[in-house]
Amino acid sequence: MVGMHLDLSGKTALVTGSTQGIGEAIAVSLARAGARTAVNGRRPDVVDEAVARLREVVPGADALGVAADVSTAEGAAALVSALPEVDVLVNNVGVFGPRPALEITDDEWRRYFEVNVLAAVRLTRAYLPGMRERGWGRVQYIASDSAVVIPAEMIHYGVSKTALLGVSRGFAKEAAGSGVTVNCVIAGPTHTGGVEDFVYQLVDRTLPWEEAQREFMRVHRPQSLLGRLIEPEEIGNLVVYLASPQASATTGAAVRVDGGYVDSILP
């Protein structure tokens, strides 16, 4: 059996919201696979720093930065103007935060849909036609276990991620038969920036990190079959596979990298 080599050389990939956390890990993973990788964020200085880190981690990487707020129509248009053609679009940008359900205002609901849903819709609308014309492309949406298990403390976030599942399936039908695949990635509880502080708010601070996170998962996230937090690189690995030619028969799917957190055979 020949080993699988995921090679994205010659492809241009764009990852929105990729200056930190999961988005940054995805950008690094795509660059390692040989893709020309565009890092995106709102602030030029932060984008430049993320591009520098990527080049340090992946020597020789073909990386560029595009600063634009894709949650607005103007920002999305500016990004597309700066980067008119991509082969792999990863819609990762998103916001989240706890709020009592009955206290979520209309403006907050609108903000969550602008950032978490409409940003992805705008960029898909901009880039999918070119992918179809070229007969190859990959569109991905980074969703969450919260899309399926709506968290009581932030239903606006969960509902926005549920919407992405429908957006992904709908655009997959639009791309049917064209050589372009469209998929959702359902990410589970992930080890990112402030998560360690959050974990240590709930478990003994004297525990080493590996023990602390497993205790946190055992007590506070018992649904997980992994028993630990997911590393951002593990999400990046799945994104690279779905972006590769080897995933040509996977489209219209919601693919889970959730450590078995969602207690369901299907998402």
Side-chain angles (χ1 to χ4, degrees):
M1 181 177 178
V2 178
M4 184 165 58
H5 178 58
L6 304 180
D7 184 6
L8 295 176
S9 299
K11 305 297 185 185
T12 296
L14 165 64
V15 186
T16 63
S18 50
T19 59
Q20 62 181 345
I22 291 172
E24 184 170 13
I26 290 171
V28 168
S29 296
L30 289 165
R32 280 188 173 132
R36 174 178 180 246
T37 304
V39 173
N40 162 254
R42 289 177 298 174
R43 292 174 46 189
D45 57 331
V46 175
V47 171
D48 289 344
E49 290 169 3
V51 171
R53 287 195 302 272
L54 191 156
R55 289 174 176 159
E56 184 176 342
V57 173
V58 188
D62 186 356
L64 67 152
V66 185
D69 181 358
V70 296
S71 69
T72 69
E74 297 78 13
L79 186 149
V80 173
S81 177
L83 191 68
E85 185 177 298
V86 301
D87 304 295
V88 179
L89 169 63
V90 182
N91 293 289
N92 168 76
V93 70
V95 292
F96 70 95
R99 176 76 70 182
L102 297 178
E103 296 179 13
I104 305 170
T105 65
D106 286 359
D107 285 343
E108 286 177 294
W109 276 105
R110 291 188 187 98
R111 175 172 177 254
Y112 272 67
F113 268 80
E114 285 284 351
V115 178
N116 294 359
V117 183
L118 288 180
V121 169
R122 290 188 187 102
L123 292 179
T124 304
R125 199 167 54 210
Y127 288 119
L128 181 56
M131 293 179 183
R132 287 196 307 190
E133 289 173 11
R134 296 188 297 276
W136 198 95
R138 301 287 187 262
V139 179
Q140 298 183 44
Y141 304 87
I142 306 303
S144 164
D145 56 83
S146 296
V148 184
V149 184
I150 302 293
E153 72 277 9
M154 49 181 183
I155 66 169
H156 51 340
Y157 172 74
V159 169
S160 71
K161 291 299 185 177
T162 305
L164 277 185
L165 301 182
V167 166
S168 176
R169 181 70 184 180
F171 278 120
K173 293 180 178 181
E174 180 67 20
S178 68
V180 179
T181 67
V182 183
N183 293 289
C184 238
V185 172
I186 297 180
T190 304
H191 181 193
T192 58
V195 168
E196 290 192 20
D197 289 337
F198 176 69
V199 167
Y200 278 122
Q201 290 174 21
L202 299 172
V203 303
D204 185 352
R205 287 185 174 274
T206 65
L207 289 174
W209 169 245
E210 287 302 318
E211 292 180 34
Q213 68 162 317
R214 289 187 180 278
E215 178 68 5
F216 166 78
M217 296 299 286
R218 184 183 69 80
V219 176
H220 299 282
R221 299 291 187 272
Q223 309 96 305
S224 172
L225 303 181
L226 197 61
R228 63 167 173 81
L229 291 167
I230 297 160
E231 293 299 325
E233 293 77 13
E234 294 176 301
I235 297 170
N237 291 340
L238 179 58
V239 169
V240 170
Y241 168 69
L242 291 174
S244 73
Q246 284 89 337
S248 55
T250 302
T251 191
V255 186
R256 288 161 51 185
V257 57
D258 69 340
Y261 182 82
V262 177
D263 191 11
S264 172
I265 297 172
L266 295 173

